[in-house]
Amino acid sequence: MRFDSALGLEARRGPVATAVKVIVYTGMVLVFTGPLIGLLVSAFSRTLDPTSFSLWPDGFTLDNFIEAADKNVYGYLLNSFVVVGFGLLLQMLVSVFAAYSLSRKKFRGMAVVMLIMLATMMLPEEIIAIPLSLVLADLPLLHADLIGTYAGMILPVGAWGFSILVMTEFMKEVPVELEEAARIDGAGELRTFFTIILPLCRPALGVIGVFGFTMIWDQYLLPLIVAPEPGMWTLPIALRSLRSDDEVGLGVLLAASLLALLPSIIAFLAFQRQFMRGLTSGAVKG
């Protein structure tokens, strides 16, 4: 929905209406992008004044990012990329296969499965923190200790109820006739899934890709439980440590915050087209 339609400004004409639109839209841009611009400018500034706002760095410098390397910020950033890369890949694989089963197969207890997935989305992370730590310390059946490993941070995010529900509802909209035609042509179930259904679900993949990336990237409690040593910390955990360290300057903290923010923005821009198509496809089909 466009802002001018939502605010009732689309039908207004004339110089006064144009001036009002410019003022309103400028205010919106400043409100939504002001904090980001402030962070971007401050990260490259030599002299920092938290009480002022500027559109250009005061004494442009890269010293904050150079000093961030001395605090192992880029190591923490690499850990975050490892976790989000493998975690998002696993999450999307689990989501598409689980959604295919829920949307195309009929089995007893399907409603219970959907209810359980909804329940997992309603529980705060703090409630499952202790049970999760116990499970990761002694993985059922395998009796493996995942504390202090990347697998301990990746496996718990491999299944997310939100992604599964989004994919399930989207796959239900794919006509069954397309599958039947593919089977008549001799295609097996896996081939039908990968060549017919999955390509039609690219908008939904964009949605779960953006939300899944953000969810995994912003994880705080899980890495806090699994990573006892600083060498395995992800960037959100490291930011807490940097903030409490008196030897770390404000510039380094802002540079690290910018590095933590940029990947989410880049991920959204990369999936933007599919993301917007996925959000609007339900309304168009309705």
Side-chain angles (χ1 to χ4, degrees):
M1 181 178 291
R2 294 169 51 186
F3 281 120
D4 51 2
S5 299
L7 297 175
L9 299 177
E10 188 176 19
R12 305 292 181 178
R13 296 292 185 269
V16 176
T18 302
V20 172
K21 290 179 183 180
V22 171
I23 294 173
V24 171
Y25 297 157
T26 302
M28 288 180 175
V29 170
L30 291 177
V31 168
F32 288 105
T33 65
L36 177 60
I37 295 175
L39 176 61
L40 180 63
V41 170
S42 299
F44 291 97
S45 296
R46 189 179 303 276
T47 303
L48 296 177
D49 184 3
T51 63
S52 65
F53 179 81
S54 175
L55 295 176
W56 187 256
D58 184 9
F60 182 86
T61 181
L62 295 176
D63 291 345
N64 295 329
F65 293 91
I66 296 174
E67 189 175 348
D70 298 332
K71 300 299 181 180
N72 197 33
V73 170
Y74 299 106
Y76 304 138
L77 182 64
L78 179 60
N79 290 338
S80 294
F81 277 124
V82 170
V83 173
V84 77
F86 288 99
L88 183 60
L89 177 61
L90 178 61
Q91 185 180 110
M92 295 184 75
L93 286 174
V94 171
S95 298
V96 295
F97 284 113
Y100 180 71
S101 299
L102 292 172
S103 62
R104 286 295 189 262
K105 307 298 180 181
K106 302 298 180 182
F107 55 90
R108 291 183 179 179
M110 181 182 296
V112 176
V113 173
M114 299 293 290
L115 182 62
I116 292 175
M117 285 193 298
L118 286 173
T120 61
M121 298 170 58
M122 299 175 186
L123 292 175
E125 291 184 347
E126 294 77 9
I127 292 180
I128 63 174
I130 294 178
L132 180 61
S133 63
L134 295 176
V135 170
L136 293 176
D138 186 12
L139 200 63
L141 300 179
L142 299 178
H143 299 291
D145 185 4
L146 299 183
I147 301 297
T149 65
Y150 286 108
M153 290 185 280
I154 294 172
L155 290 180
V157 299
W160 189 26
F162 173 81
S163 296
I164 296 175
L165 290 175
V166 169
M167 289 301 304
T168 300
E169 294 304 315
F170 202 92
M171 284 188 183
K172 286 181 179 179
E173 300 296 331
V174 177
V176 180
E177 292 77 11
L178 294 176
E179 294 181 65
E180 295 174 348
R183 291 194 178 95
I184 292 175
D185 292 336
E189 190 164 8
L190 285 178
R191 184 179 177 184
T192 302
F193 174 75
F194 283 108
T195 61
I196 303 296
I197 297 179
L198 204 55
L200 293 174
C201 294
R202 279 183 294 181
L205 291 174
V207 173
I208 68 172
V210 171
F211 280 108
F213 183 96
T214 305
M215 185 274 283
I216 300 173
W217 184 265
D218 293 338
Q219 281 291 317
Y220 180 83
L221 188 60
L222 179 60
L224 190 64
I225 294 173
V226 177
E229 300 296 332
M232 290 194 63
W233 284 354
T234 56
L235 198 51
I237 301 295
L239 286 174
R240 180 209 60 173
S241 177
L242 293 174
R243 185 177 180 181
S244 60
D245 190 347
D246 296 333
E247 297 181 359
V248 177
L250 180 59
V252 176
L253 183 60
L254 291 174
S257 300
L258 180 61
L259 292 174
L261 178 63
L262 284 179
S264 296
I265 298 177
I266 295 173
F268 172 76
L269 294 176
F271 290 99
Q272 181 181 13
R273 179 183 238 174
Q274 303 297 338
F275 179 77
M276 297 307 298
R277 286 180 57 192
L279 289 182
T280 58
S281 60
V284 173
K285 290 177 182 178

